[in-house]
Amino acid sequence: FSVKDSIVKTLNFSDIGCLHGCHQTFIWYVESRLSQQSDEMSNRTRLFTFNITQAKTIPTTSPTTSTMGTSVTTIPSTSAGAPCFKIGEVSKIANVKAIVACSYLWINWDPPQINRKCLPHITYQINYMVHIPGLKAINKSACNNITQHHCYTPLVAAWLGYDITYQIITWYKQTTSPIKTIRNRFTSKILFKPQALKNCTTDINFQQQYVQFVCVKEMVCKTRINYCYNFYLLESDLATTPRKFHIKNTTVMRISFNQLRYGTVYYWFANAAKSSQSSITSENTTIEKFYLPLRNISGTGNTSVTMVPSPPSNSPFATAFILVFLLSIVLILSCVKACKQARRWDRKISTTTSHLSLRELPPLPGVNL
């Protein structure tokens, strides 16, 4: 079910296929997207459940007859039949969840478990305070006098990296005599952190000799904040100190083969930050792994590879080996040249003698054959 510009959806029993004689348990959750055509989805909320059961069939006449009344479908409530209590004994809200997503503060909670016949009027109000070091705290309110169990309010980009203390005020109004109103407060704190990254991949391009790290923003938000993205590269061992790279306004980073070692395993991860110097970052992405081989088979495309030269070595053994290898090549070329010259002389001699043949000589005088 989709809704626009709202996070409330009302469904009839027929909308969920719960018709006459329905007895089912339903599970539901919510996720958001930029538009109905967008494939980019937010993370899901936690799962919620509810039950719809059929009440027992009650006879409308004497029990001896077979005429039965119409069955009634009801939604049971664990608190609807509770006795009325004193106004000071009301329960509080529960399961409070708060997140910061797309520069909004989202809060939802479960309502108090009370008998609504005793307290039919329950409303909520959200107050929050932004703590900026060295300045006076900024006080704000949102969702005043609401009856739903959730609230969301926009946050200013300048507040990024600061703590936000939020407070949910529950107002209870007793309509029976004496009429009385009380309130309960729930207070907690959340950090306004940068939007995290997800779905990271590694692309090794052997033709152009670079490795590309690609991540996707966790959400596509209408309210855009220009983050700085940190990429961390570790060589061979996760315990080593990572190299850190700062990229602005893009979630893609390339690194040349010249900055890497061949035949080595690498690990990398990324996060988003307010700025390149800020210590306030989002959660780290999952750790990705890749291997840069010494040699590869030639091909085409991004997955294609060309012969990758081994890195030069400055050791004296390597230098001596290279000199011996070059001298061997010179000797081999000299032998090949000498062999070719000898073949040419053989062909010349055979050409010179090939026209000679034995000729018949006249017999000597006086000699009878």
Side-chain angles (χ1 to χ4, degrees), residues 19 98 102 123 134:
L19 303 177
C102 284
T123 58

Side-chain angles (χ1 to χ4, degrees), residues 7-19:
I7 53 174
V8 178
K9 179 65 176 177
T10 302
L11 300 174
N12 297 321
F13 283 1
S14 58
D15 295 330
I16 56 177
C18 193
L19 303 177

Side-chain angles (χ1 to χ4, degrees), residues 62 73 116 131 226 239 277 305:
S62 63
T73 303
R116 296 303 294 268
H131 304 275
N226 294 324
Q277 305 300 324
V305 288

Side-chain angles (χ1 to χ4, degrees), residues 58 75 132 211 260 262:
I58 303 174
I75 302 178
I132 302 178
V211 180
L260 303 172
Y262 299 95

